[in-house]
């Protein structure tokens, strides 16, 4: 009986020893494994490395990885010295549940701007567009390339290239958008006046500060025609068919009659004749305007029809007479004999 007791005691002693030895080895192995894991470098996705496009260079598909980027296009831009540079435009895959799409531009591996788009029912809306140049401009053409991407995104979404934006920033970007075929949204009070005044400003190389009564922030839209022209690299403003009809110095102010060519098709040319006023400080103010439509007549000739702009709330008799006089001068230059009012 005593011998059996000692045998059991010796067996238990060896069993506990082996089990403790195994647990010690297991604990040591886990400790070594954990220390190696902790010493491993942290892996950061290429899309999160600020100021680089290391991940963008090897993109071949629309979506590179979760939280990654896709390469949309490469384009050539210029710096302010005129040197041609390669720019890469990429799209970040967002984890957000809304329809916002973030696009970024990189030049020489450095971030040079970003744009955010929202897809609507019948158009693409630019939520924000910024070039990361702060106080000093370094590049030329990045903003225009962003707008081309927005127009193409609209086409792919079935919106026929329509894009809208609320142009409001400091300094105001309204001339930039107008230059790239955006126009004041239809229905906005005095939208025609703002469009025509900006067209005159671009032809005369004026800054926004020289325009007295243009809106500094407004809703603007890119329609189908403007979008198609933008993607072809064409600008619809400052046309060769537009130009000053006359300037008259009256007292300390100068009255300007101006002809703005808007569009043309097979049957008629749509234009605007506007009256502007310049003071001694060189500030230009819009006064009023009439639509001037040149139509082919049944007799084989052409006629100019003057009509009110629906977004201009008030016309005085004197203003209409001045506009009619300017339109007749322009009609004579174009070889048109008939001018009549349709008010």
């Amino acid at each position: 009986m005593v011998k059996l007791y000692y045998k059991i005691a010796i067996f238990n002693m060896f069993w506990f020893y082996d089990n403790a030895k195994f647990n010690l080895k297991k604990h040591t192995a886990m400790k070594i494994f954990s220390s190696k894991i902790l010493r491993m470098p942290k892996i950061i996705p290429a899309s999160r490395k600020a100021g680089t496009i290391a991940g963008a260079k090897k993109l071949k598909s629309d979506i590179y990885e979760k939280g990654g980027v896709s390469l949309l296009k490469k384009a050539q831009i210029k710096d302010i010295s005129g040197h041609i540079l390669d720019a890469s435009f990429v799209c970040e895959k967002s984890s957000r549940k809304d329809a916002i799409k973030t696009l970024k531009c990189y030049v020489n591996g450095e971030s040079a701007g970003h744009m955010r788009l929202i897809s609507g029912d019948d158009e693409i809306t630019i939520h924000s567009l910024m070039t990361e140049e702060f106080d000093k401009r370094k590049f030329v053409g990045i903003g225009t390339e962003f707008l081309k991407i927005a127009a193409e995104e609209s086409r792919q979404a079935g919106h026929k290239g329509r894009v809208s934006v609320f142009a409001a920033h400091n300094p105001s970007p309204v001339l930039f958008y107008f230059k790239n075929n955006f126009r004041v949204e239809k229905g906005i009070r005095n939208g025609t006046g703002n469009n025509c005044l900006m067209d005159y400003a671009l032809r005369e190389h004026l800054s926004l500060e020289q325009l007295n009564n243009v809106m500094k922030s407004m809703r603007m839209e890119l329609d189908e025609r403007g979008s198609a022209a933008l993607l072809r690299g064409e600008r619809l403003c400052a046309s060769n068919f537009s130009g000053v009809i006359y300037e008259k110095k009256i007292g300390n102010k100068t009255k300007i009659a101006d002809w703005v060519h808007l569009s043309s098709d097979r049957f008629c040319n749509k234009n605007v004749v506007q009256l502007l006023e310049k003071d001694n400080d060189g500030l230009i103010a819009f006064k009023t305007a009439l639509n001037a439509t040149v139509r082919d007549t049944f007799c084989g000739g052409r006629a100019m029809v003057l009509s009110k702009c629906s977004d201009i709330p008030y016309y005085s008799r004197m203003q209409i007479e001045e506009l009619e006089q300017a339109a007749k001068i322009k009609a004579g230059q174009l070889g048109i004999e008939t001018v009549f009012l349709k008010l």
Side-chain angles (χ1 to χ4, degrees), residues 65-81:
E65 60 180 352
K66 186 176 180 181
V69 295
S70 61
L71 181 62
L72 291 179
K73 65 182 290 187
K74 287 183 176 291
Q76 288 188 331
I77 62 166
K78 294 181 179 180
D79 61 15
I80 56 174
S81 300

Side-chain angles (χ1 to χ4, degrees), residues 113-161:
H114 72 271
M115 176 176 67
R116 291 186 175 90
L117 301 177
I118 301 176
S119 181
D121 294 333
D122 58 355
E123 64 184 8
I124 292 289
T125 299
I126 298 176
H127 179 269
S128 62
L129 195 164
M130 297 287 292
T131 54
E132 298 174 11
E133 300 167 3
F134 302 102
D135 296 332
K136 187 176 181 181
R137 188 178 188 186
K138 296 186 291 186
F139 307 114
V140 179
I142 291 178
T144 299
E145 292 298 328
F146 269 131
L147 295 183
K148 288 180 180 179
I149 293 175
E152 189 59 43
E153 288 282 333
S154 175
R155 282 189 167 189
Q156 293 179 7
H159 303 324
K160 300 181 180 180

Side-chain angles (χ1 to χ4, degrees), residues 171-188:
S172 174
V174 293
L175 276 179
F176 160 74
Y177 284 109
F178 186 84
K179 183 171 61 175
N180 286 287
N181 302 341
F182 281 73
R183 297 295 179 264
V184 181
E185 193 175 75
K186 293 178 181 177
I188 293 181

Side-chain angles (χ1 to χ4, degrees), residues 145-257:
E145 292 298 328
F146 269 131
L147 295 183
K148 288 180 180 179
I149 293 175
E152 189 59 43
E153 288 282 333
S154 175
R155 282 189 167 189
Q156 293 179 7
H159 303 324
K160 300 181 180 180
R162 293 188 295 271
V163 181
S164 68
V165 63
F166 182 71
H169 202 261
N170 188 20
S172 174
V174 293
L175 276 179
F176 160 74
Y177 284 109
F178 186 84
K179 183 171 61 175
N180 286 287
N181 302 341
F182 281 73
R183 297 295 179 264
V184 181
E185 193 175 75
K186 293 178 181 177
I188 293 181
R189 183 185 177 97
N190 204 26
T192 299
N194 282 275
N195 284 331
C196 292
L197 183 55
M198 286 189 285
D199 191 279
Y200 174 84
L202 290 173
R203 279 184 277 125
E204 299 296 322
H205 307 288
L206 303 177
S207 66
L208 194 65
E209 289 72 25
Q210 294 174 273
L211 306 182
N212 197 17
N213 58 349
V214 71
M215 290 187 290
K216 301 299 189 295
S217 59
M218 64 184 83
R219 288 204 61 83
M220 303 184 74
E221 59 186 2
L222 182 69
D223 62 12
E224 299 172 25
R225 177 173 171 268
S227 178
L230 178 65
L231 291 173
R232 292 194 304 266
E234 299 176 5
R235 286 173 170 164
L236 303 179
C237 63
S239 166
N240 292 330
F241 299 101
S242 302
V244 174
I245 301 172
Y246 67 77
E247 292 187 10
K248 291 181 180 180
K249 183 76 173 178
I250 302 176
N252 59 351
K253 295 185 178 181
T254 301
K255 286 192 174 183
I256 302 170

